[in-house]
Amino acid sequence: MINNNLYHIRDLAIKLNNSMHLTADAYSSLEKEYANFMSEVAKSPTQGYLIKQQYLNIEHKHNGNMYIENLERIKQSPLINAIKREIQDKINELYPNTKIVRKYIIQNKRISVEFVKEKKGYNIFDKFIMNTQKLKEILFK
């Protein structure tokens, strides 16, 4: 069951997703909208990234080039990068031992916002990927 805060973050993500298809002229308002969304994600990073994965990181059939162009411009924004660093610091503080597993579960769509999926175990390949990420984090701090 989705709670009220997640509804709010989900609604921001849907609105942002729709705005990302606009022309580049609306970039300044788009940057503010994305910063607002990421500020909400910072309050609960795991849930926020789960919503981001489901509602923003999706393939776009219509006007996908404008979406990609706007996303690339946003990724270069100093404001957005500062918020992302803040979120990453919070994740490192809150989940020092499980952050890699959480990231893996979200990126591979093993969890959903709307409903609980059947429990899956980790196969050798999954464990290899997670351990490789842990090793990479240790070596390249």
Side-chain angles (χ1 to χ4, degrees):
M1 199 62 134
I2 190 167
N3 66 29
N4 289 337
N5 187 41
L6 291 182
Y7 275 129
H8 176 65
I9 297 172
R10 185 196 64 184
D11 292 344
L12 287 174
I14 291 170
K15 182 180 174 192
L16 180 59
N17 185 19
N18 293 333
S19 299
M20 294 285 277
H21 292 85
L22 298 175
T23 62
D25 297 338
Y27 175 72
S28 62
S29 65
L30 186 61
E31 182 181 23
K32 290 176 190 170
E33 199 173 324
Y34 197 88
N36 184 29
F37 170 72
M38 291 302 285
S39 297
E40 290 296 321
V41 169
K43 294 177 184 174
S44 56
T46 301
Q47 296 169 342
Y49 275 120
L50 179 61
I51 290 173
K52 184 178 176 190
Q53 177 72 22
Q54 271 190 262
Y55 293 101
L56 284 180
N57 298 349
I58 55 177
E59 294 184 23
H60 301 280
K61 296 178 184 173
H62 306 292
N63 208 5
N65 290 340
M66 186 57 64
Y67 180 90
I68 293 168
E69 182 180 320
N70 283 333
L71 187 60
E72 289 303 317
R73 289 178 69 191
I74 284 174
K75 285 182 179 179
Q76 296 172 3
S77 166
L79 173 64
I80 302 300
N81 287 330
I83 295 171
K84 284 183 179 179
R85 280 191 299 276
E86 176 187 324
I87 292 171
Q88 191 59 44
D89 291 343
K90 187 170 183 178
I91 288 172
N92 289 337
E93 177 187 323
L94 293 175
Y95 317 115
N97 298 325
T98 61
K99 62 185 170 192
I100 293 172
V101 175
R102 288 169 186 266
K103 182 179 178 182
Y104 181 80
I105 289 171
I106 291 170
Q107 286 179 341
N108 290 295
K109 299 178 182 165
R110 295 181 70 140
I111 190 169
S112 174
V113 174
E114 286 83 18
F115 58 93
V116 177
K117 295 182 180 179
E118 184 178 331
K119 181 181 172 186
K120 281 186 175 180
Y122 297 108
N123 60 28
I124 293 173
F125 183 69
D126 294 334
K127 290 178 183 178
F128 175 76
I129 290 173
M130 287 186 283
N131 287 326
T132 304
Q133 292 296 323
K134 287 179 186 177
L135 183 62
K136 189 165 81 172
E137 184 178 297
I138 290 169
L139 293 176
F140 300 109
K141 277 190 178 180

